[in-house]
Amino acid sequence: MPKQQYQVLADELKNKIDSGEWRPGTKLPSRSQLCKEYGVSDTVVGKAMMILRATGLTETLEGVGVFVAGPK
């Protein structure tokens, strides 16, 4: 079964974190930037971000943005 768009996007973003392209403390692009860059809807970006947060890869600071989480 093919992956859903949000799963593909979550994998792409996870790869950027795992490869070190986005280091701990790096602010991720905004939702609108990710929508444009990957050609997906805000809903797709939202679900992908939920996966990253649920797996502990990112932290959200309300009103500031989403950041790559540091080591636990």
Side-chain angles (χ1 to χ4, degrees), residues 49-50 53 57-69:
M49 296 302 245
M50 281 176 38
R53 188 170 46 250
L57 291 173
T58 61
E59 300 172 325
T60 303
L61 296 177
E62 287 301 317
V64 180
V66 179
F67 297 83
V68 177

Side-chain angles (χ1 to χ4, degrees), residues 3-70:
K3 286 186 177 181
Q4 295 291 321
Q5 277 187 311
Y6 69 87
Q7 293 169 316
V8 172
L9 179 58
D11 288 346
E12 286 274 328
L13 301 178
K14 181 182 183 306
N15 287 339
K16 288 186 180 225
I17 294 169
D18 290 344
S19 72
E21 184 177 340
W22 289 348
R23 295 176 128 26
T26 301
K27 184 176 181 181
L28 273 61
S30 69
R31 285 172 75 133
S32 62
Q33 286 173 306
L34 290 170
C35 289
K36 264 189 191 170
E37 186 176 336
Y38 290 95
V40 296
S41 70
D42 186 66
T43 303
V44 169
V45 172
K47 285 184 175 184
M49 296 302 245
M50 281 176 38
I51 291 170
L52 295 180
R53 188 170 46 250
T55 56
L57 291 173
T58 61
E59 300 172 325
T60 303
L61 296 177
E62 287 301 317
V64 180
V66 179
F67 297 83
V68 177

